Amino acid sequence: MQKYMLERFFQGLSPRHAFQIRYWDGTSEIYGDGEPNVTIIFNEKISIAGFLKEKTLTFGDAYMNGSIEIEGKIEDVISLAISNKEMLWTKSLSFLPKLTSLGKRKENIQHHYDIGNEFYSLWLDETMSYSCAYFKSPKDSLHQAQLQKIDHVLKKLQLKKGERLLDIGSGWGWLILRAAQQYGVKSFGVTISEEQYRKTKERIRSLGLEGQVDVALMDYTELARKGYSYDKIASVGMFEHVGKAHYPIFMKTVHELLGEKGLVLLHTITHQTEVPVDPWIEKNIFPGGYIPSLREIVMLLPDYDFHLLDVESLRLHYAKTLDHWAERFEQQVEKVEQMYDQRFVRMWRLYLQSSAAFFRNGGLNIHQFLFSKGVNNELELTRDFLYS
């Protein structure tokens, strides 16, 4: 019965390229026309009830556990899924977003970011930037592209010496460090990841930037209650963790923290429309996260007197960033397996390589939004200053 149900499912797909399924009983079938470009191997039976209810969750967990193997590129499997997305993912939000406690938000962040600095340092670049890089040329190294991303963000904020810069979700700290070094601003970062906080503190001390740069282990909402105020605010790769129900809180907090005519650079992954979080990602990678649609963000801004100045898509930049990460990760697989286990390795391999496919072909995007608090007539008239 299990094999019959799977055969019926695969027969119903509309593949762009032929694919092969090899079943646990040794039989195999080719679906689609031509030579298959990828083979999915079922080493053992999987829960058909689970598969029919949550296809991506059951498939992803089965791959992690070794019940399913892939011969060929994971990206080709994801491309097959993307071309049949109506059979795999619901089209609209099927839940009411709920507010979560600070404790739960910290737990969700620590699930992903407190795996360990040693782990991330194996495959991130020297800046430890864990967000989309900016490639001026396909030949750029990952490190060069990450520095270019940070510089691109800082240029957009049009920083001036002596200004106060806040980075919400400051990661391992390179943006606040570079802002202080390059622009002479006083920069401050907040994170609720203990590992990121510890590493940033080390970097501040090693560069002798105490007094000009600081970081706090706290939630961004605590800043407003303490009466802090900033001229410019950046948030790179953090908004995806805020949660849909918390969007008004985020925008209200940023409004309270930002001085009049101040600028905000919000760098976040986006969807084309509002869709629920993939259940495998929710369970294994980013619990509590939600990827907004482009229009959700734009529609929020007027309610907080935020004036949109610029929007830029970096979709292909993120696909290329993920390609670099996936390649570097594979070069360190033996060390990662020694640190954790094979299941962990397979989880991260699936996450990194499938993410690249979604940015390249699946409708995931990443945008940088630049907006001001109130009307600001003192900004650059063109984008020329970004590329000078």
Side-chain angles (χ1 to χ4, degrees), residues 248-265:
I249 297 171
F250 179 90
M251 291 297 178
K252 181 175 183 291
T253 302
V254 170
H255 182 273
E256 292 173 352
L257 291 170
L258 191 64
E260 200 62 31
K261 297 184 180 181
L263 297 183
V264 180
L265 190 289

Side-chain angles (χ1 to χ4, degrees), residues 4-22:
Y4 171 75
M5 295 297 290
L6 287 171
E7 286 177 327
R8 288 285 303 274
F9 172 76
F10 291 125
Q11 287 167 359
L13 298 180
S14 301
R16 295 175 183 171
H17 302 282
F19 64 98
Q20 183 176 39
I21 301 294
R22 194 178 303 159

